[in-house]
Amino acid sequence: MGARSEPRIPSLLYGEIEEELRATLGELLHDRCAWHDVLARVDTDEAYDEGLWKAVAAELGLAGLLIPEEYGGAGAGPREVAVALEELGRAVAPVPFLASAVLATQALLASPASAARDAALRALADGTRTGTLAVTANTWPGAGFPLSVTGSPDADGLLLTGAVTGVLAADRADLLVVPALVDGERQLTLVAGDAAHLVRRSVTSLDATRPVGELTLDQVRAVVVAGPDTAQEALGQALRYGAALLASEQLGVAQRALDEAVSYLKVRHQFGRPIGSFQALRHRAADLWSDIAAARAAARYAAACLAEGSPDAAVATALAQAYCGDVAVRAAEECVQMHGGIGFTWEHPAHLYLKRAMSSALLLGTADRHRSTLATLVDLPPSI
C-alpha cells in the first residue's frame, strides 16, 4: 500500500492581491465612511448610504467579486470577499454587501444556469441592482427549508404567497431570491423588488447600519431558478458562504474596537500617567489581542477552505462562527468600558461596534448553534 498523503493545509496569509484590495477599499472607507458620517446617518430614515454603496459595488467592482467574468464579475473568490468584509466591518459600513454580494449571489451561483439566473448575476455584478436572500436573518447552514412561502403555477409561470420576517436589506433589494414550496416541492425563485403585490416593511433592528425588514407576498409573480433537485443544496451553500465570510466581518469589527480602545488608553491620563500603563488594563488589552489573533486564524481558515473547495469547509465554517462572534462582542464591550463614561454616550462610536457585533452574533446562527453543528461534524459525544 502507498503512503497516505497528508491533507493540504491552506495558507492563512494575505496575498498581494488581497492586500491591494484592502488598501483600496480602506482608503475609500476612510474618505467616505468615517465614524462621524455613520453616526449622522443612524439618526436619519436612510439606513443605507447609497453613494457609498455605488462606490463600493460599481466603481470598485466589489459587488461582483464572487461572480465569474463571463457574467461581468471579477472572477475572484472567498479570500478576496473575506478581506472586503474585514474592511467593511472595521468601518461598520452601512452597505448591503453581505446580503447582495454574498448571500443572494451565492444562491444564484449554486443554481443551474438559466436565462433568468444569468441575467440576475449580470445585474448584481455591475452594481446596478442589489439582491438579498429572502430568509430570516438568523437562519443557519443546515436549517430546514423555509416553509413560510408557497407557490402555485399558472399559465405565465409562478405566483408566490406568504411572508418572511427579519430579511437583510429587505427594504431596498432590487432582486429577491425566495425559497418557496411549490406543490409541496422545494424551489428557489427570483422575484423583482418592484413586483406587484409585494409589500416590504422596515422593522426596528438592533443595528441601524444593517436594517432588516419584513416581506409579504400575495400572488407575486416569480420565476424558478432552482428546482426540487437543487434548491436545498443551493440554499445551504449560500448560507454556508454567508456564515463563513461573516466571520471575517466580525474580525474587522473586533480589530477596530481593540484599536480604538488602545488608542484611548495611550492618551487618557489619570494620576499623571496614561491609563494604558496600568497593569490591569494592559492585561485586558493583551488578552483581547490574543483572542483576536485566534479569531483571525479561524476566519482566514474558513475563507481559505471555501476558496479551495476543501472537504473541511463545513467544519471550518462552524468553528469560525462558534468563536468569532463571541470575540467581536467581547472586544466591543471592552472598547465601551475602557473608554469610561464617554464610551456610553451616543456621541462616541463605541456603540456602533457593539451593536454590529451583537447583531452579527445572531446572524446566520448563534455561536451555540454552530458549536452544536461542530460537535456533530467531528463526532463529539453530547455532554451529560
Side-chain angles (χ1 to χ4, degrees), residues 30-383:
H30 180 270
D31 294 339
R32 302 277 296 273
C33 192
W35 64 262
H36 47 78
D37 296 323
V38 179
L39 273 180
R41 181 166 294 279
V42 165
D43 293 329
T44 70
D45 294 331
E46 297 295 328
Y48 285 124
D49 187 333
E50 297 294 343
L52 178 63
W53 174 237
K54 180 179 179 181
V56 170
E59 295 174 19
L60 293 186
L62 301 191
L65 276 177
L66 285 175
I67 299 176
E69 294 180 5
E70 62 184 291
Y71 301 114
R79 295 177 68 107
E80 290 78 14
V81 175
V83 170
L85 279 167
E86 272 190 57
E87 292 304 303
L88 293 170
R90 283 181 61 87
V92 198
V95 295
F97 185 88
L98 181 67
S100 184
V102 180
L103 291 171
T105 293
Q106 194 56 43
L108 291 171
L109 288 172
S111 300
S114 65
R117 173 259 201 185
D118 296 352
L121 285 174
R122 291 189 177 92
L124 294 178
D126 63 20
T128 58
R129 299 289 184 91
T130 300
T132 192
L133 180 62
V135 298
T136 303
N138 64 359
T139 305
W140 67 95
F145 197 86
L147 306 177
S148 60
V149 176
T150 58
S152 57
D154 73 348
D156 297 321
L158 191 66
L159 297 175
L160 300 184
T161 298
V164 191
T165 60
V167 179
L168 293 175
D171 61 329
R172 58 99 60 232
D174 304 300
L175 297 170
L176 309 170
V177 181
V178 183
L181 284 180
V182 181
D183 292 336
E185 295 187 323
R186 302 166 182 174
Q187 300 192 14
L188 283 189
T189 66
L190 189 63
V191 173
D194 58 356
H197 311 300
L198 171 65
V199 178
R200 305 195 278 189
R201 185 175 68 88
S202 297
V203 298
T204 302
S205 58
L206 173 62
D207 180 9
T209 66
R210 177 179 275 158
V212 296
E214 180 180 288
L215 300 173
T216 303
L217 304 92
D218 183 11
Q219 299 290 290
V220 173
R221 180 70 58 191
V223 295
V224 176
V225 291
D229 295 335
T230 55
Q232 179 71 66
E233 177 54 33
L235 175 61
Q237 184 168 320
L239 294 172
R240 284 193 295 273
Y241 264 67
L245 295 173
L246 175 63
S248 291
E249 185 195 274
Q250 292 166 328
L251 169 63
V253 173
Q255 187 64 62
R256 177 63 179 272
L258 176 61
D259 292 345
E260 291 290 333
V262 170
S263 295
Y264 186 75
L265 295 181
K266 291 178 179 179
V267 300
R268 179 71 168 92
H269 283 65
Q270 278 189 336
F271 309 111
R273 55 190 291 195
I275 61 174
S277 66
F278 299 152
Q279 189 177 51
L281 292 176
R282 292 170 67 180
H283 284 181
R284 287 168 64 180
D287 288 344
L288 195 53
W289 181 91
S290 178
D291 291 342
I292 292 173
R296 177 171 287 104
R300 292 295 295 166
Y301 184 62
C305 284
L306 287 183
E308 299 190 6
S310 170
D312 205 27
V315 171
T317 297
L319 177 62
Q321 274 305 306
Y323 187 72
C324 294
D326 285 349
V327 170
V329 171
R330 188 158 60 252
E333 289 174 342
E334 290 281 32
C335 180
V336 171
Q337 293 182 21
M338 288 183 182
H339 276 84
I342 194 174
F344 290 83
T345 66
W346 292 120
E347 291 76 16
H348 194 274
H351 67 90
L352 294 175
Y353 315 136
L354 182 59
K355 290 173 182 175
R356 175 61 67 92
M358 294 186 72
S359 64
S360 296
L362 303 175
L363 186 60
L364 299 172
T366 63
D368 283 344
R369 174 68 65 182
H370 288 284
R371 291 187 189 103
S372 177
T373 299
L374 181 60
T376 301
L377 290 171
V378 300
D379 296 324
L380 186 68
S383 59

